[in-house]
Amino acid sequence: MIGVFDSGHGGLTVFTALVERFPRYDWLYYGDHAHAPYGSRPNREVVELTQTAVAKLFMAGCKLVILGCNTATAVAGRTLQQEWLPTVNAQRGGHRILGIIAPTVEAVTQTPWSVKEPVFPQKYNTDVYALFATEVTVRSGVYEAEVAKRCPKARVVSLACPKLVPLIESGALKAQMAAAAKIYVDELLVKSGVIPQWAILGCTHFPLIEDLFRAALPPQVRILSQPQVVADGLEDYLARHPDVVGSRVASGRGAVQYFTSGEPSEVSRVAGVMLGRQIIFGRF
Ligand code: DGL
């Protein structure tokens, strides 16, 4: 079974793409709605909350957990992989944690994991990437660092958009979210001084309002669809780790379950409105 975690509803965008891509695996989604949003919390809290959530998913039988949250990936991903996972695996082995920022940067820079240093044509890449994300993700500088490793001449212009996640989580009116998205897009365009080649929606909540970003952005700016690139990234990961395929991680009968730390009926209602289909959450 594979677990996908987010602070709230945002990870459902990634989860949906993963389930569609790998329909035979067993999937478990966990939204920590009781503590959402994570995006403006101190790093230490994000790490603690993420560790607690991943531990719950391991306890539930997930061997692989995907952090379907940029905020958690940005400040907790590496720390948990390097400092906590070895102690978990010393007791019962085989657990893995994957983040979603590396596959996103690989896709947008067209520089896969196997490229260890900038080579032609990456070293001539002077693209400007507009990054819309949470305060924690922007403050971490992870996107800038990951892009710089691959394409040193490319530029990331990032902007924290702290109003959007609370609006999305509360199921706000579309007009209200459109106005907020437009203000952020305009602010980023002023900051960048040029029209970016790409807009990275670096928060998994934002694909839920991708149409509002599309309407606010100049038409020539391409939007990176993070759910699809995360699904591509998992496909690539499984191809490189044949041991995972066929193990308990990637076996199953296509069971899909949803859990929340929040109020299941309200979380299910909002998820239904967002995704346009019924999703029943249980308490976790
Ligand atoms: N969906 C999460 C992300 O990708 C963060 C939302 C939050 O602020 O909790 O960053």
Side-chain angles (χ1 to χ4, degrees), residues 231-281:
D232 293 344
L234 183 61
E235 204 169 291
D236 190 47
Y237 177 83
L238 294 176
R240 286 185 285 117
H241 294 86
D243 53 309
V244 175
V245 181
S247 69
R248 278 197 21 203
V249 172
S251 60
R253 287 166 296 154
V256 180
Q257 303 172 79
Y258 299 87
F259 290 98
T260 176
S261 59
E263 180 47 54
S265 56
E266 177 58 11
V267 168
S268 304
R269 187 191 67 75
V270 174
V273 174
M274 282 175 181
L275 298 186
R277 60 190 163 89
Q278 194 185 42
I279 294 178
I280 307 288
F281 277 83

Side-chain angles (χ1 to χ4, degrees), residues 178-255:
K182 172 108 178 69
I183 290 170
Y184 287 130
V185 166
D186 290 348
E187 192 177 333
L188 191 137
L189 291 174
V190 169
K191 198 173 166 188
S192 78
V194 293
I195 295 184
Q197 278 71 30
W198 285 94
I200 304 171
L201 305 187
C203 170
T204 52
H205 282 72
F206 297 171
L208 293 165
I209 53 164
E210 185 172 327
D211 56 332
L212 306 181
F213 275 99
R214 180 69 279 165
L217 283 161
Q220 65 270 48
V221 180
R222 284 167 291 179
I223 295 180
L224 184 97
S225 162
Q226 199 174 30
Q228 291 309 318
V229 305
V230 170
D232 293 344
L234 183 61
E235 204 169 291
D236 190 47
Y237 177 83
L238 294 176
R240 286 185 285 117
H241 294 86
D243 53 309
V244 175
V245 181
S247 69
R248 278 197 21 203
V249 172
S251 60
R253 287 166 296 154

Side-chain angles (χ1 to χ4, degrees), residues 6-7 10-11 36-40 68-72 100 134 137 165 202-205:
D6 180 47
S7 60
Y38 282 12
S40 301
C69 175
N70 291 270
T71 305
I100 58 172
T134 65
T137 302
V165 171
C203 170
T204 52
H205 282 72

Side-chain angles (χ1 to χ4, degrees), residues 71-250:
T71 305
T73 302
V75 297
R78 193 153 294 172
T79 306
L80 295 186
Q81 281 165 339
Q82 292 177 353
E83 294 171 20
W84 177 63
L85 204 50
T87 61
V88 173
N89 283 332
Q91 289 164 11
R92 262 190 308 152
H95 296 88
R96 297 159 194 251
I97 302 173
L98 294 178
I100 58 172
I101 293 180
T104 305
V105 172
E106 286 173 6
V108 79
T109 59
Q110 300 278 292
T111 309
W113 69 276
S114 52
V115 176
K116 292 276 183 284
E117 56 188 45
V119 290
F120 180 85
Q122 288 85 354
K123 70 177 177 180
Y124 299 114
N125 178 348
T126 54
D127 281 354
V128 176
Y129 302 111
L131 173 70
F132 299 94
T134 65
E135 285 172 304
V136 170
T137 302
V138 168
R139 198 172 62 216
S140 76
V142 169
Y143 271 94
E144 285 82 348
E146 292 294 325
V147 167
K149 269 192 230 165
R150 294 165 174 87
C151 304
K153 292 187 181 162
R155 186 158 70 97
V156 178
V157 182
S158 57
L159 187 74
C161 312
K163 291 198 178 131
L164 292 180
V165 171
L167 285 174
I168 295 169
E169 283 291 327
S170 66
L173 292 175
K174 207 147 191 186
Q176 211 183 342
M177 295 195 279
K182 172 108 178 69
I183 290 170
Y184 287 130
V185 166
D186 290 348
E187 192 177 333
L188 191 137
L189 291 174
V190 169
K191 198 173 166 188
S192 78
V194 293
I195 295 184
Q197 278 71 30
W198 285 94
I200 304 171
L201 305 187
C203 170
T204 52
H205 282 72
F206 297 171
L208 293 165
I209 53 164
E210 185 172 327
D211 56 332
L212 306 181
F213 275 99
R214 180 69 279 165
L217 283 161
Q220 65 270 48
V221 180
R222 284 167 291 179
I223 295 180
L224 184 97
S225 162
Q226 199 174 30
Q228 291 309 318
V229 305
V230 170
D232 293 344
L234 183 61
E235 204 169 291
D236 190 47
Y237 177 83
L238 294 176
R240 286 185 285 117
H241 294 86
D243 53 309
V244 175
V245 181
S247 69
R248 278 197 21 203
V249 172

